[in-house]
Amino acid sequence: MGLDQYAFIRVEDGEGKDDALIMQWRKHSNLEGRMSDLYHARGGTSEFNCVELQLFAEDLEKLESEHRNLEPASGFFWGQSTLEDVEDTQAFIDAAKVALKNGHKIIYTSWW
């Protein structure tokens, strides 16, 4: 029970879509808070749970500059962010930037 988070590459072609997992986090609460804020800043009105959030180059640039010092966030069984989460987030950002340059979409989603 708790917060599970996923980031994946979405490749779309004329026949549909194919998703490839880039990163999975378990209870990286600070990242969840940041993504929830982004979702609501874009006009999201529902609870940020089981929602797909597309990330763009500017989102990744901002996340890269902030991810080491994200504001603490909490929620129902969200847990606490760790140093490993920070390292995994940088690896995600690096892979996501490459995927964007190759014309793919980046999607973040979570479930708690």
Side-chain angles (χ1 to χ4, degrees):
M1 190 174 236
L3 174 62
D4 292 304
Q5 302 149 273
Y6 308 91
F8 53 91
I9 298 168
R10 175 161 289 159
V11 178
E12 295 180 342
D13 60 24
E15 298 180 19
K17 65 182 179 182
D18 186 29
D19 296 337
L21 186 67
I22 303 173
M23 185 62 62
Q24 180 177 344
W25 299 267
R26 177 90 173 121
K27 298 186 177 188
H28 186 359
S29 58
N30 299 353
L31 179 63
E32 181 69 4
R34 173 71 178 84
M35 294 300 177
S36 178
D37 290 347
L38 179 58
Y39 167 73
H40 288 103
R42 289 188 184 164
T45 57
S46 64
E47 184 173 65
F48 187 68
N49 185 24
C50 299
V51 173
E52 289 189 358
L53 178 66
Q54 184 174 350
L55 302 177
F56 301 96
E58 56 271 13
D59 301 322
L60 294 172
E61 292 298 326
K62 187 169 184 180
L63 181 60
E64 186 166 37
S65 70
E66 298 175 347
H67 82 278
R68 296 185 193 297
N69 299 301
L70 292 173
E71 291 186 32
S74 63
F76 188 66
F77 291 112
W78 281 14
Q80 294 182 341
S81 296
T82 65
L83 179 58
E84 183 180 354
D85 292 327
V86 173
E87 294 167 356
D88 288 346
T89 301
Q90 184 62 56
F92 153 69
I93 292 166
D94 294 342
K97 284 179 168 182
V98 171
L100 280 178
K101 286 181 183 179
N102 289 327
H104 306 305
K105 292 181 179 178
I106 303 300
I107 307 294
Y108 173 90
T109 191
S110 60
W111 178 71
W112 42 271

